[in-house]
Amino acid sequence: MQLSSAKFELFCRALVKKMNVDIDETIGTKLTGDGGLGGYGYITTDDFRTSRVAIQAKRWSLNNSVSSPEIDKFRGAMDKFRAEFGIFITTSTFTRDAVAASRAGTRVITLIDGDKLLDLIAKFELYVTPKVITTYELDDFFKEKN
């Protein structure tokens, strides 16, 4: 939450890049006049197909959930740039209407809320270093025969 909106967009582009999206360094990278995008890129889905991916990043407080009009605006930006996929990332949550809006239409928008964002940061170790490693010792249940 302490990142500026601009730095949060950079962070989200870096995360999506770790998820195998080739980020376009010219589309959706300006702070104003970006066409409603926080980033844009391309993902290769198989040996001969590449798809366009639009990214939206909203650094919002937990008491301000993303609602369906924000999803609709993002879908309009996706249309403008002919993106086949959309990824909407927020530090907050999504309302039920936003979830429904993300699933409507011909292109589903992937929603990443604050909790999922934390999971992905840990999974891809994006700008974090794991410090605690948990080990497990097997209980007798696993050592006994039948």
Side-chain angles (χ1 to χ4, degrees):
M1 285 304 299
Q2 298 196 4
L3 296 177
S4 68
S5 294
K7 195 158 187 178
F8 183 66
E9 283 189 4
L10 288 172
F11 182 84
C12 291
R13 284 196 292 272
L15 175 63
V16 173
K17 185 174 184 174
K18 285 263 193 181
M19 299 168 79
N20 294 322
V21 173
D22 182 21
I23 298 296
D24 187 309
E25 297 300 331
T26 59
I27 300 173
T29 57
K30 295 186 288 182
L31 293 180
T32 58
D34 62 6
L37 298 181
Y40 191 84
Y42 308 89
I43 189 164
T44 301
T45 54
D46 55 39
D47 290 336
F48 63 94
R49 192 174 325 181
T50 300
S51 298
R52 295 174 292 265
V53 180
I55 305 156
Q56 182 58 285
K58 294 288 185 189
R59 183 189 53 84
W60 285 3
S61 66
L62 284 176
N63 59 0
N64 192 13
S65 296
V66 176
S67 60
S68 60
E70 291 295 325
I71 302 299
D72 295 338
K73 283 193 274 187
F74 179 51
R75 183 166 276 121
M78 287 174 61
D79 290 343
K80 179 179 178 181
F81 291 97
R82 297 183 179 175
E84 288 91 3
F85 295 103
I87 303 171
F88 198 119
I89 304 170
T90 185
T91 51
S92 184
T93 59
F94 295 95
T95 65
R96 278 192 216 124
D97 287 345
V99 173
S102 74
R103 296 174 180 168
T106 57
R107 290 160 297 145
V108 174
I109 297 171
T110 299
L111 302 180
I112 299 174
D113 66 11
D115 289 340
K116 179 68 175 174
L117 180 59
L118 292 175
D119 292 342
L120 291 170
I121 291 166
K123 177 180 179 179
F124 291 102
E125 296 182 6
L126 181 64
Y127 303 121
V128 297
T129 304
K131 293 292 184 184
V132 177
I133 298 176
T134 303
T135 58
Y136 296 91
E137 182 178 330
L138 296 178
D139 290 341
D140 289 339
F141 176 86
F142 291 102
K143 297 174 186 174
E144 296 172 356
K145 297 195 186 234
N146 280 5

